[in-house]
Amino acid sequence: KRQEVCTLHITIPCSCGSSSWTNLIDRFKRKVGISMLFLCYPKCSTCQRAQRWLDGHGISYDLRDIKLERPTLDELKTWYAKSGLPLKRFFNTSGLIYKNMQLKERLPEMVEGEQLMLLSSDGMLVKRPILIGDGFVLVGFKESEWAAELGI
């Protein structure tokens, strides 16, 4: 089966700054259905709320169950770097595994690489939901943050 690749070139006169132009392109991508990755745990009420919010705003995404298909080490490294967030924000600090492993006490003693390896070992250690798009990573669901990033 042969896949065809189409390229769309659009010329729009614009006197706006480059950040406005980038926002316009991002909004266009979302409108035409260029998908984002939505990682969640289906039984999590916050994930369910985030998914309803995305669906309610007509936002397309690829869904991935974080427990069944945990993030790889390379993915976590990329998302962490792209997010600009402290690595601790990627940990599900309210989860049973986090508490049972006493990570509140152990994490400060661990180097970044060890923390990333630990996160990649079990999807239930990872804060959720996570929404990854072209140019952003949103960790945890805060409606105002998501709306601002998605231009809603």
Side-chain angles (χ1 to χ4, degrees):
K1 185 176 173 180
R2 185 171 171 258
Q3 277 190 323
E4 292 185 32
V5 177
C6 298
T7 304
L8 175 65
H9 297 277
I10 300 174
T11 304
I12 302 171
C14 180
S15 61
C16 54
S18 63
S19 65
S20 296
W21 184 246
T22 301
N23 289 338
L24 179 65
I25 292 169
D26 289 342
R27 290 176 77 184
F28 173 76
K29 286 179 180 179
R30 285 190 286 280
K31 289 291 183 196
V32 297
I34 296 173
S35 193
M36 293 174 274
L37 178 60
F38 178 62
L39 284 95
C40 71
Y41 178 55
K43 295 179 183 180
C44 166
S45 61
T46 304
C47 293
Q48 292 167 2
R49 194 165 37 94
Q51 188 171 10
R52 281 192 305 271
W53 187 87
L54 289 169
D55 292 344
H57 287 88
I59 297 170
S60 63
Y61 55 87
D62 294 321
L63 179 66
R64 184 162 135 194
D65 184 326
I66 203 165
K67 184 175 182 178
L68 298 178
E69 192 180 342
R70 68 180 186 258
T72 66
L73 178 60
D74 286 339
E75 285 175 325
L76 287 163
K77 285 179 181 178
T78 301
W79 299 339
Y80 167 52
K82 194 178 192 180
S83 74
L85 296 170
L87 188 53
K88 185 172 183 200
R89 284 278 309 273
F90 280 82
F91 280 89
N92 178 14
T93 57
S94 60
L96 291 176
I97 296 173
Y98 182 90
K99 291 175 182 177
N100 289 341
M101 292 181 73
Q102 300 176 341
L103 292 177
K104 182 177 181 179
E105 294 80 27
R106 292 181 51 209
L107 278 182
E109 299 168 5
M110 297 172 73
V111 296
E112 185 177 285
E114 291 173 313
Q115 291 181 27
L116 286 163
M117 286 289 289
L118 184 59
L119 282 169
S120 70
S121 72
D122 192 322
M124 297 304 282
L125 280 171
V126 180
K127 176 84 172 174
R128 56 196 184 258
I130 301 177
L131 185 65
I132 299 113
D134 187 32
F136 68 89
V137 175
L138 298 170
V139 179
F141 180 58
K142 291 185 179 166
E143 187 174 329
S144 60
E145 287 179 13
W146 286 38
E149 185 62 52
L150 297 173
I152 294 172

